[in-house]
Amino acid sequence: MRIAAAVLRLLVVVPALLGLVACSGGGGGAPPPAPTYTVTGTIIAAGGSVADWDVNDPYAPHVEGNDSCATAQPLPNPVTLGGYLNAPGEGAPGRSFEAGDLDDFYRVSLQAGQTVTLFIGGDPAEHDLDLYLFSAACADLVAFSEGYGATEAVTAPSAGDYVIQVAVYCDGNDCGTTASNYTLVVGQSAQAGVLADTLDAGAEFVPGEVIVRFADSHQPLGLAAADQRIQALGLARKAGAPSRQMLLSLGEATGGAAALAALGVNKTPGQALARHGRELSPELQARLETVAAVRALRARPEVATADLNYIRRALAVTPNDPFYSYQWHYPQINLPAAWEVSKGTDVIVAVVDTGVLLAHPDFDGQLVAGYDFISDDANSGDDESGIDDNPDDPGDRIMPDGRSSFHGTHVAGTVAARTNNSVGVAGVAGGAKIMPLRVLGRFGGSSYDIQQAIRYAAGLANDSETVPSQPADIINLSLGGGGASTSEQEVYTLVRDQGVIIVAAAGNENSSTPSYPASYDGVISVSAVDINKQRAPYSNFGSKIDVAAPGGDLSRDLNGDGYGDGVLSTAGDDGSGTIKMGYNFQQGTSMAAPHVAGVLALMKAVNSDLTPNEVDVLLAEGALTEDLGAPGRDDLYGWGLIDALQAVQAAPQSDTPADTPAVLLANPTSLNFATSETSLNLQLRNGGTAALTGVAVTDSASWLEVTASSVDGEGLGTYTVTVNRDTLAEGSHSATITATSSANSVTIPVIMQVPEPQVDLNANTGFQWIVLVDPATLETVKTASADNKAGVYNFEFSGVPAGNYLIFAGSDANNDDIICDAGESCGSWPTLSAPVEVAVSGNVSGVNFVSSYGFNIGAAGLLPDRPGFSRTPVPSKQLERQP
């Protein structure tokens, strides 16, 4: 039965009035009274539930103490807690109405990474609660969340004992109208999809700085107008431009308080800390003010994004190549994340260029056989033997000082320099192979020679009278010029028809004039961007541009690394008369194209059947790029800046392999024994269809034991995991279970708590009010109440007339005579999601159901209304109750 949004009322019968009615009747025989019956049952408190010690309901048990850090209420882990806070004189009359209850403190043992989430029951615009996390005994503030929304969250940085403070925001003595229920949740990890509007104020960030981008509809015209608007907000611009993200300061001269005032913030950060005598250090004050500024900026219509300037650290995925830190162009295209998926292993990329320095240390193991197709000895420089099977670059001597460009070496290094070899630089696709094809000499290269090279790469007949043992998957052409020809177009079409993906540089003339081969049909044309993702000043543009990639701009050093912002890759230097291997920064669409070729190699390694047509479709769908410039395709960036992670995730499978790769999976992915569980099950299974063998399971703690329960010969099946608390100290304990196999290993985090004596191990969903409801009118017929007895509540209705009834139960922490408010527990027989009528024609027993603090995220305002989605699946129930 679906309950309508109606009010359920309890009829209060006053004995004195009954006496008056009895004396008013006349004579005659009265009909016998209708028989009545009793209805009894049990409410079970949901596991892991706890009630705040000092709610506003005067009938609920009350424990003094959780109003200060020293007397914090101990909690189990995990826990879902229902609580209530109010400013003096606010909310419904009750236990805390007059004096107010501004703070609740809770003591809990947490593991690293555990998140504490606060859901505010009332409208956050009127009822402002904040959340703080302290170290044991409140010695240090570890994390805080002073927000304006319905959700606040903090995360424990390491394992240990902590104190949580939930606080009413007060500005001095003005605590506003706050009177609100709340739900506090401590779990194994953050709740996905719930924390999107929170700020990780406990993470490292730069105090006094915010990163802001104005909304497109509010873009200031020019830098002067932008600065004027920024100053009006009490901020100062440190870097950036109005068309993109800007780094803003809260103002060194005026200070953070002045900036907050200009932003209209009427919330002084840290007030809940100050009222407990905590002195705020200048650094902490600056952090609090910075978070408050970001929240205020996010609420303004002219601001598209506002964020903290978080501090980032290098992660383990970072290659160990010593010059990798100068390759700013790789993080720009989201490459490190893509390396977690693909390295481009065994994909062949033909680099049609000046040849490659085959002896360069960063090409050790990276090359397959290539060819030299320069047919004019005069153009071949020091290699005057015509076309041959040696694609080594002897040097083109085209530099003004007589040195050589070694252009092909630079291009090849971007595609696939050996990565994680503790030498030089990293390549985009370090697992790929380079097929070096020499076509450019002292005077460039002829279209005929280039045609022979790409035919060779595709395994087609060519002037070398040979073909490679394995054709190239991708061809990179960092070359070009004016003039189009039918014969060239035919060759490029033929090569593409062989399934080879062709990538070419758009040209460096800052012109919309088509350059070839980039402008031929079937060729991916690549323009260049600088370190700011803006079109590089030299890059060609126009209707033939398909995609953009980093090309660099050596005229600037915006990242302050001491070098012009060009693309760093492999190189050679023959200025001394002998070739010395090295690295250098270069710029151009020639540098942009191999980024795209390398990313396509990552895709090809994921899906060996990837075709040129599929790449075209994915580009047009925006599946491979970060959109820059005008929405969709434009003449500067094509479909946008290549995004390596998106690309590898988008690589389609054109057919289903006979076997999907074996992968060992664990369910659940983590285990939490809380305060009283001693045994849990763990299932290991094969997530693929290929064979998986050699499963072995180990654990990391003496108090943890894993035994096979129902396991097959390969070690797949169900395991029983048990814990022994006997010799452990009070607090939270963590360990890991590691399962290895022929395919992979998985690690299952385990958390367990040895509770201190003060922790009540019985679940508690607060003092329960039970209502018997007429399903036709939704009026309350009778009420009962019950207190917690070892995690259960026994109730009885007596004098119940025959009929059908609904039964609901819940707490009333705010004492507003309505049970099942947000932040209060609620239940119904047999389930809350589907209440069923109880037929009473005699005494009824065994009406047993669960009451829990289960809350609807939609009701917290984090999700929009949707068709068929009720924000209040069970209505509030009005109580006019009498003890």
Side-chain angles (χ1 to χ4, degrees):
M1 175 180 177
R2 188 174 184 273
I3 307 301
V7 177
L8 309 182
R9 299 190 178 279
L10 166 66
L11 304 180
V12 179
V13 181
V14 182
L17 293 178
L18 288 177
L20 291 173
V21 172
C23 296
S24 65
T36 60
Y37 308 98
T38 61
V39 177
T40 60
T42 300
I43 300 166
I44 300 97
S49 298
V50 171
D52 175 11
W53 275 350
D54 57 353
V55 297
N56 196 37
D57 185 348
Y59 301 100
H62 179 71
V63 179
E64 297 286 350
N66 73 349
D67 295 333
S68 71
C69 180
T71 56
Q73 178 178 344
L75 297 181
N77 181 359
V79 67
T80 300
L81 177 141
Y84 175 78
L85 290 174
N86 70 291
E90 299 295 336
R95 179 184 287 127
S96 62
F97 174 75
E98 291 186 7
D101 184 6
L102 298 179
D103 303 278
D104 285 333
F105 288 84
Y106 303 100
R107 188 170 66 251
V108 65
S109 179
L110 300 174
Q111 290 298 309
Q114 281 198 278
T115 297
V116 180
T117 308
L118 172 69
F119 297 93
I120 300 170
D123 181 352
E126 299 179 9
H127 308 283
D128 191 358
L129 303 182
D130 294 316
L131 181 65
Y132 304 88
L133 185 67
F134 297 92
S135 60
C138 294
D140 299 295
L141 178 64
V142 175
F144 62 91
S145 183
E146 293 189 339
Y148 297 89
T151 308
E152 310 276 358
V154 292
T155 300
S158 58
D161 294 331
Y162 292 90
V163 172
I164 300 165
Q165 179 186 4
V166 183
V168 172
Y169 171 72
C170 301
D171 194 353
N173 294 323
D174 181 8
C175 298
T177 60
T178 297
S180 179
N181 297 321
Y182 65 84
T183 307
L184 193 71
V185 179
V186 178
Q188 185 91 320
S189 59
Q191 299 182 38
V194 174
L195 309 181
D197 66 341
T198 65
L199 282 168
D200 191 357
E204 282 189 279
F205 64 89
V206 181
E209 291 184 358
V210 297
I211 300 173
V212 172
R213 180 175 64 82
F214 286 124
D216 292 340
S217 57
H218 293 79
Q219 280 289 353
L221 298 176
L223 203 55
D227 285 339
Q228 186 175 9
R229 173 175 290 177
I230 292 166
Q231 290 167 11
L233 296 175
L235 306 173
R237 183 172 58 87
K238 298 186 72 173
S243 62
R244 50 187 171 83
Q245 284 81 2
M246 292 176 289
L247 182 64
L248 308 183
S249 167
L250 268 62
E252 290 83 352
T254 56
L260 295 183
L263 287 168
V265 176
N266 54 12
K267 181 171 182 174
T268 304
Q271 288 295 296
L273 304 175
R275 69 169 170 257
H276 287 273
R278 181 170 293 276
E279 196 168 319
L280 304 183
S281 67
E283 180 182 359
L284 177 56
Q285 187 68 46
R287 289 175 63 85
L288 292 166
E289 290 171 350
T290 306
V291 173
V294 168
R295 293 193 184 278
L297 286 163
R298 287 181 175 182
R300 301 184 72 90
E302 70 269 32
V303 174
T305 62
D307 295 284
L308 298 171
N309 192 10
Y310 290 111
I311 302 296
R312 304 301 188 202
R313 306 289 183 189
L315 301 178
V317 73
T318 303
N320 61 20
D321 307 82
F323 300 148
Y324 173 75
S325 61
Y326 295 106
Q327 293 181 287
W328 56 266
H329 32 102
Y330 289 171
Q332 186 184 73
I333 62 170
N334 211 8
L335 186 57
W339 284 333
E340 294 287 332
V341 180
S342 173
K343 301 294 196 302
T345 303
D346 296 331
V347 176
I348 297 177
V349 181
V351 174
V352 182
D353 214 291
T354 63
V356 169
L357 289 172
L358 304 181
H360 199 290
D362 251 340
F363 293 143
D364 184 20
Q366 301 299 100
L367 303 173
V368 297
Y371 216 88
D372 178 0
F373 282 97
I374 299 178
S375 58
D376 183 353
D377 288 347
N379 189 35
S380 191
D382 295 338
D383 180 21
E384 298 178 357
S385 59
I387 66 171
D388 58 48
D389 61 359
N390 182 11
D392 197 19
D393 188 351
D396 51 22
R397 303 287 183 178
I398 65 170
M399 307 297 286
D401 59 359
R403 289 184 299 170
S404 300
S405 68
F406 298 109
H407 185 271
T409 297
H410 199 277
V411 170
T414 297
V415 174
R418 192 172 181 85
T419 304
N420 268 330
N421 62 340
S422 300
V423 174
V425 296
V428 172
K433 304 296 183 183
I434 298 296
M435 178 187 291
L437 298 173
R438 186 172 180 246
V439 297
L440 300 180
R442 296 182 63 185
F443 313 114
S446 72
S447 63
Y448 183 83
D449 290 351
I450 295 169
Q451 289 178 45
Q452 301 311 301
I454 66 169
R455 291 179 68 94
Y456 175 93
L460 299 171
N462 61 86
D463 285 355
S464 73
E465 299 183 349
T466 184
V467 293
S469 58
Q470 180 178 339
D473 300 289
I474 300 158
I475 295 174
N476 186 91
L477 295 157
S478 288
L479 48 81
S485 74
T486 302
S487 63
E488 272 193 320
Q489 177 65 76
E490 288 178 351
V491 172
Y492 286 105
T493 300
L494 179 62
V495 169
R496 176 186 167 97
D497 288 346
Q498 301 302 305
V500 181
I501 305 168
I502 308 169
V503 179
N508 303 324
E509 291 79 32
N510 186 27
S511 169
S512 62
T513 301
S515 176
Y516 298 94
S519 296
Y520 284 127
D521 293 341
V523 176
I524 298 173
S525 177
V526 185
S527 65
V529 298
D530 62 15
I531 199 170
N532 286 324
K533 298 185 182 179
Q534 301 293 312
R535 183 181 69 92
Y538 50 78
S539 179
N540 281 2
F541 50 94
S543 61
K544 293 294 186 179
I545 301 299
D546 295 303
V547 67
D553 182 1
L554 289 169
S555 68
R556 298 187 291 179
D557 179 19
L558 296 183
N559 63 359
D561 63 4
Y563 299 94
D565 296 329
V567 171
L568 180 63
S569 187
T570 46
D573 186 350
D574 58 358
S576 64
T578 58
I579 300 174
K580 296 179 180 178
M581 309 300 175
Y583 308 86
N584 65 23
F585 293 87
Q586 295 187 29
Q587 67 177 28
T589 57
S590 284
M591 284 61 253
H595 283 82
V596 174
V599 169
L600 292 171
L602 300 180
M603 295 178 66
K604 194 77 172 179
V606 172
N607 175 16
S608 61
D609 295 322
L610 184 70
T611 67
N613 286 335
E614 287 173 331
V615 172
D616 290 346
V617 170
L618 291 170
L619 272 173
E621 291 175 346
L624 310 184
T625 57
E626 173 190 356
D627 196 11
L628 299 181
R633 195 209 160 274
D634 61 69
D635 287 351
L636 299 182
Y637 310 104
W639 295 104
L641 179 66
I642 193 72
D643 184 302
L645 179 59
Q646 284 187 222
V648 296
Q649 291 174 334
Q653 293 289 342
S654 59
D655 53 36
T656 303
D659 276 319
T660 56
V663 57
L664 179 64
L665 300 178
N667 183 62
T669 57
S670 61
L671 295 175
N672 195 327
F673 286 83
T675 58
S676 57
E677 293 287 349
T678 58
S679 177
L680 296 172
N681 287 334
L682 174 69
Q683 184 188 49
L684 299 178
R685 67 181 183 88
N686 182 0
T689 58
L692 185 145
T693 60
V695 176
V697 180
T698 59
D699 62 70
S700 65
S702 59
W703 50 264
L704 184 66
E705 184 177 1
V706 183
T707 57
S709 176
S710 177
V711 176
D712 66 17
E714 298 299 339
L716 298 174
T718 302
Y719 291 79
T720 301
V721 184
T722 57
V723 296
N724 183 354
R725 296 178 174 85
D726 292 345
T727 61
L728 298 179
E730 295 173 1
S732 181
H733 298 265
S734 66
T736 57
I737 297 170
T738 302
T740 59
S741 73
S742 59
N744 64 298
S745 299
V746 292
T747 300
I748 301 96
V750 178
I751 187 172
M752 180 267 290
Q753 187 175 9
V754 179
E756 56 184 293
Q758 295 90 339
V759 174
D760 187 355
L761 301 184
N762 297 309
N764 189 337
T765 50
F767 190 79
Q768 295 291 294
W769 295 91
I770 306 96
V771 293
L772 192 70
V773 176
D774 183 337
T777 64
L778 295 181
E779 294 290 323
T780 299
V781 177
K782 284 186 175 291
T783 188
S785 61
D787 198 3
N788 187 294
K789 303 295 182 183
V792 298
Y793 304 80
N794 297 311
F795 68 90
E796 177 179 320
F797 292 109
S798 59
V800 179
N804 291 344
Y805 301 92
L806 295 169
I807 299 178
F808 293 92
S811 61
D812 185 22
N814 57 9
N815 201 46
D816 67 350
D817 288 342
I818 301 175
I819 65 172
C820 294
D821 281 336
E824 295 174 344
S825 60
C826 193
S828 178
W829 188 85
T831 65
L832 186 58
S833 60
V836 173
E837 295 176 12
V838 177
V840 178
S841 57
N843 293 333
V844 177
S845 62
V847 182
N848 306 329
F849 58 95
V850 174
S851 176
S852 71
Y853 289 113
F855 44 87
N856 192 322
I857 300 304
L862 298 181
L863 296 176
D865 286 326
R866 300 176 294 187
F869 178 78
S870 173
R871 288 161 62 95
T872 53
V874 175
S876 300
K877 270 67 72 178
Q878 180 73 31
L879 296 177
E880 297 173 0
R881 68 178 179 222
Q882 176 129 339

